[in-house]
Amino acid sequence: MTSPEIAAAVAQDPVVILPLAAIEQHGPQLPLSTDLDIGLGLLNAAAAALGDDVAVWVLPPLAVGTSMEHDGFPGTLSLEPETALAVIGQYGAAVAGNGVRRLLLWNSHGGNSQVMDLAALRLRRDHGLLVVKCSYFRLGYPDGIGLPESELRHGWHGGAVETAMMQHLAPDSVRPEPDRDSGSLGEQLERQFELLGPEGTASFAWLARDLHGSGVVGDARTANAALGARLVAYYGDALARVIRETRAFPLGALRTPAT
């Protein structure tokens, strides 16, 4: 888009989306770009479900996120949280400065969650924006997905869900999966503790190596492209609903930030 086209687009009161992703290790079968590929693939699926009746624009993605839990694995790139917070803030400030009022942070990497929360709150306070935060992995799963409950609870890095979506979105980038199940420390703790776990009611700070030495948790042997297509369609539809609801949100319900 050109600068004049942007100015005209703002008059439509659009939803502007900032994709947040990561470039980090995903074990032996998935590329470093997995989170970015999935995030953009789900955006494309949402666009197909959305149609042309909602004004929505996508910013250049923040491809490198906060991935310090994966430090030490070859290829991982990571921003310090303070840097990521500042960069998201600069994106948001530029958007607000152009007159945009609705910003959707679309996240495909778990390590970005805390930074996203803080950045959204600052942008709300400092620029009066409506900032909606959405991570695809918080949107649940299709009914009858056919994966074990333990895999859905613990296999969230290089496991069946991510591998299946990559088999659908970028099949040439998926390497053969080693014949093993990278069971998570979380599964072991679940048998011992009621509340404490990596992402439990009471959680502890962890590095990827803490959960499994390979940096992967989950069993990708059950993944296939058909499952991936179903997941992509499900998340694309859910994201399209989030976009519609962001566009319909009554901005008058938000109070003017105190000065």
Side-chain angles (χ1 to χ4, degrees), residues 70-169:
H70 299 285
D71 280 353
F73 287 94
T76 293
L77 303 178
S78 182
L79 301 178
E80 285 297 310
E82 298 82 2
T83 303
L85 184 59
V87 171
I88 297 171
Q90 290 295 315
Y91 270 81
V95 164
N98 280 283
V100 169
R101 301 181 296 170
R102 305 171 192 269
L103 177 64
L104 170 58
L105 301 180
W106 169 241
N107 179 40
S108 53
H109 167 53
N112 290 334
S113 299
Q114 295 89 344
V115 167
M116 179 174 67
D117 287 343
L118 288 172
L121 186 56
R122 280 190 179 176
L123 289 171
R124 171 74 193 103
R125 180 195 67 183
D126 296 344
H127 298 284
L129 287 167
L130 167 67
V131 186
V132 176
K133 305 166 293 181
C134 185
S135 300
Y136 85 82
F137 43 84
R138 303 293 186 198
L139 295 172
Y141 300 101
D143 291 336
I145 189 174
L147 292 175
E149 187 62 31
S150 61
E151 179 68 17
L152 298 179
R153 287 200 306 274
H154 300 289
W156 30 259
H157 190 74
V161 169
E162 283 191 323
T163 301
M165 286 196 286
M166 288 296 288
Q167 287 172 330
H168 171 66
L169 293 169

Side-chain angles (χ1 to χ4, degrees), residues 19-111:
L20 305 176
I23 302 297
E24 64 182 24
Q25 71 85 21
H26 273 76
Q29 86 276 14
L30 295 179
L32 298 164
S33 60
T34 290
D35 289 339
L36 179 63
D37 295 340
I38 288 175
L40 297 182
L42 298 182
L43 267 174
N44 287 334
L50 200 60
D52 298 325
D53 61 328
V54 177
V56 55
W57 309 103
V58 181
L59 295 170
L62 186 57
V64 177
T66 300
S67 297
M68 57 183 168
E69 69 273 24
H70 299 285
D71 280 353
F73 287 94
T76 293
L77 303 178
S78 182
L79 301 178
E80 285 297 310
E82 298 82 2
T83 303
L85 184 59
V87 171
I88 297 171
Q90 290 295 315
Y91 270 81
V95 164
N98 280 283
V100 169
R101 301 181 296 170
R102 305 171 192 269
L103 177 64
L104 170 58
L105 301 180
W106 169 241
N107 179 40
S108 53
H109 167 53

